[in-house]
Amino acid sequence: MLIDETKMVEALRLTTIVPTKKKELLFESSDQNRPGLQFSGHFEFFANNRMQILGMAEISFLDTLDAETRKERLAKYFSFEMPCLILCRGLTCAEDMASLARRHNVPVYGTQAYTTRFQAMAILYLNRQLAPHATIHGTLIDVHGVGVLITGESGVGKSESALELVKRGHQLVADDVVEVVRVSENRLTGEAPAMVRYFMEIRGIGIIDIRAMFGIGAVTQSKTIDLVIDLEHWVKEREYDRLGMVEEMTEILDVNIPRILLPVKPGRNLAIVIEVAARNFQLRRLGYNAAVALDNRLTELARGGI
């Protein structure tokens, strides 16, 4: 995947030592390589397609090599294509290394961070950049620690429900447009596009700024998506779930998320219902299902009657 070079430099707080004309850098994974083995002459299993990171150990080892061996090892090392090279701990880039980097169009960056600390930062950053993304029409809100994604057709009441939840002390993440990222095999996070972050559209009023209106405690930048509540206008002929014995799921970016279909009709307080749904979800996560508990009671009562 191609990653914007300028954004990466800014996010990881890098300084450019050897610039190139590359606007985007190609990364196949978030894994990294510290080329100690390559500098010792072993290139058989060289992960050259990863971010290359040099710390004190690698630079110190290079300094122990005689001039001819150093020249040979560095020449072979830079003959492979690589996304970029990072020098940690404020280490300087020797002229022979910088010259080879320029010749082979390999950008070299520096950081003051310790090597292991920078590796952790880079893994987190690349994991997020390389993760599958999707944009969903909906509203994401943190309700009692549960990330609730409210979906439904336009005008069904998603924003109004979220506004009432904010008034009740919950936190808005995104309104109308939610950028979803799969950060692991079974975990999704969502946030708002930077341009419209913390803004909400209320029909009849217009655009409002939730952070300015309700304070910084009423918003949060990102949240895991734990539960999807799909709002739809009440259809009289439709059979809605009244027991909750079976948990319905929906798939987003190949991750199954619990889903509740919530009918909307005049006079129904959706904010309270969504709060209850979030609390009930937490109880189910802890292993308690009210519908199953009631069914067990009825079964025991029936057995006692027999």
Side-chain angles (χ1 to χ4, degrees):
M1 179 178 177
L2 292 171
I3 292 180
D4 187 280
E5 190 260 359
T6 303
K7 290 182 179 178
M8 187 192 79
V9 168
E10 181 180 347
L12 296 179
R13 299 177 183 175
L14 300 171
T15 56
T16 303
I17 298 174
V18 177
T20 64
K21 294 182 179 180
K22 292 181 179 180
K23 301 297 182 182
E24 296 177 314
L25 305 179
L26 178 62
F27 290 92
E28 295 182 8
S29 76
S30 61
D31 295 331
Q32 303 156 347
N33 182 65
R34 296 187 64 174
L37 282 173
Q38 285 70 55
F39 292 163
S40 67
H42 183 78
F43 286 89
E44 188 172 353
F45 296 103
F46 175 26
N48 61 291
N49 58 348
R50 301 177 181 177
M51 176 183 283
Q52 304 293 307
I53 297 180
L54 274 65
M56 187 68 74
E58 291 78 18
I59 296 299
S60 298
F61 177 76
L62 277 175
D63 290 341
T64 66
L65 300 176
D66 61 79
E68 190 61 32
T69 304
R70 177 187 172 101
K71 180 180 178 181
E72 175 192 338
R73 300 275 169 80
L74 285 176
K76 187 166 185 180
Y77 175 69
F78 279 101
S79 68
F80 292 84
E81 289 188 12
M82 57 187 76
C84 63
L85 183 65
I86 313 290
L87 289 165
C88 298
R89 301 172 65 103
L91 295 167
T92 57
C93 183
E95 181 52 38
D96 56 351
M97 187 181 295
S99 177
L100 285 165
R102 280 190 289 268
R103 186 186 309 169
H104 292 279
N105 202 32
V106 176
V108 180
Y109 307 103
T111 176
Q112 296 295 323
Y114 285 99
T115 312
T116 52
R117 188 173 299 173
F118 175 78
Q119 285 184 280
M121 290 170 51
I123 286 173
L124 288 174
Y125 174 77
L126 290 176
N127 270 337
R128 186 164 186 83
Q129 296 301 310
L130 299 176
H133 289 64
T135 301
I136 292 178
H137 176 62
T139 298
L140 180 59
I141 193 160
D142 183 342
V143 182
H144 295 307
V146 177
V148 179
L149 177 63
I150 306 172
T151 61
E153 63 183 28
S154 295
V156 76
K158 299 184 295 295
S159 296
E160 289 80 358
S161 300
L163 181 59
E164 180 63 26
L165 287 165
V166 168
K167 286 178 60 182
R168 296 173 68 87
H170 306 292
Q171 292 181 302
L172 175 73
V173 181
D175 179 60
D176 194 44
V177 178
V178 183
E179 292 184 345
V180 181
V181 180
R182 192 182 74 195
V183 294
S184 68
E185 290 302 314
N186 58 358
R187 184 167 172 260
L188 302 174
T189 63
E191 62 180 51
M195 182 65 67
V196 295
R197 187 169 293 152
Y198 310 142
F199 288 97
M200 179 182 286
E201 178 193 351
I202 302 296
R203 292 173 189 270
I205 296 177
I207 304 298
I208 62 173
D209 186 333
I210 296 297
R211 184 172 59 177
M213 188 173 291
F214 295 97
I216 191 66
V219 296
T220 186
Q221 184 167 331
S222 66
K223 179 64 183 172
T224 57
I225 298 176
D226 304 304
L227 177 66
V228 174
I229 294 183
D230 192 14
L231 304 182
E232 76 165 22
H233 293 289
W234 188 291
V235 179
K236 186 176 180 180
E237 296 77 16
R238 181 164 183 164
E239 287 289 333
Y240 294 102
D241 188 5
R242 299 182 65 179
L243 297 178
M245 293 290 289
V246 179
E247 189 173 59
E248 185 181 343
M249 308 295 285
T250 187
E251 190 177 279
I252 303 173
L253 292 175
D254 297 325
V255 177
N256 286 323
I257 305 292
R259 172 184 177 268
I260 296 173
L261 178 62
L262 204 59
V264 178
K265 64 186 302 187
R268 196 174 197 201
N269 193 324
L270 291 178
I272 291 178
V273 177
I274 293 171
E275 273 188 336
V276 170
R279 288 185 180 275
N280 193 50
F281 171 81
Q282 288 178 316
L283 286 173
R284 288 194 174 196
R285 238 180 355 190
L286 294 172
Y288 178 79
N289 187 319
V292 173
L294 178 59
D295 183 62
N296 291 338
R297 285 188 188 181
L298 293 173
T299 302
E300 291 174 7
L301 182 62
R303 287 175 179 172
I306 295 172

